[in-house]
């Protein structure tokens, strides 16, 4: 006994989709990019598109260039800094002691 669903296993829009429905595809060109780890990436671009100087490597994330023997250097990432590290860059220990003394004096009601 059938469940009553005549198009079981199909979904709306399923079916062959050829050039007649999509239209002509633009002419493409594949460009090779190499990163510092010697990974090759070959994205495709439209023939009339401007090709970028660098491309991010999908394997390691380093920047990749078109010159295999001279790839761009990886960018240097600064380590994470805490709020205290930024404060220490702006203030000396003597400044910190003065601010602490002032805050304690306010709490004690001396000011």
């Amino acid at each position: 006994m059938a469940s009553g669903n005549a198009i079981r296993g199909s979904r709306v829009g399923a079916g062959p989709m050829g050039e007649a429905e999509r239209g002509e595809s633009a002419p493409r060109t594949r460009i090779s990019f190499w990163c510092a780890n010697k990974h090759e990436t070959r994205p495709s671009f439209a023939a009339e598109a401007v090709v970028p100087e660098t491309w991010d490597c999908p394997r390691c994330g380093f920047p990749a260039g078109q010159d295999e023997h001279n790839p761009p250097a990886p960018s240097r990432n600064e380590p994470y800094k805490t709020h205290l590290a930024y404060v220490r860059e702006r203030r000396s220990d003597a400044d910190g002691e003065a601010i602490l003394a002032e805050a304690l004096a306010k709490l004690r009601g001396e000011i």
Side-chain angles (χ1 to χ4, degrees), residues 21-81:
E21 292 182 29
R22 284 192 304 225
E24 298 278 332
S25 60
R28 311 293 286 177
T29 180
R30 295 183 71 86
I31 307 292
S32 293
F33 290 89
W34 287 271
C35 70
N37 290 332
K38 304 295 183 201
H39 299 141
E40 182 182 11
T41 304
R42 295 197 55 184
S44 65
F45 298 95
E48 66 274 356
V50 177
V51 178
E53 294 289 322
T54 61
W55 191 262
D56 289 339
C57 177
R59 291 180 64 188
C60 64
F62 287 169
Q66 294 181 30
D67 185 3
E68 180 179 7
H69 303 293
N70 191 16
S75 60
R76 185 170 183 272
N77 291 334
E78 292 293 323
Y80 175 76
K81 286 186 184 179

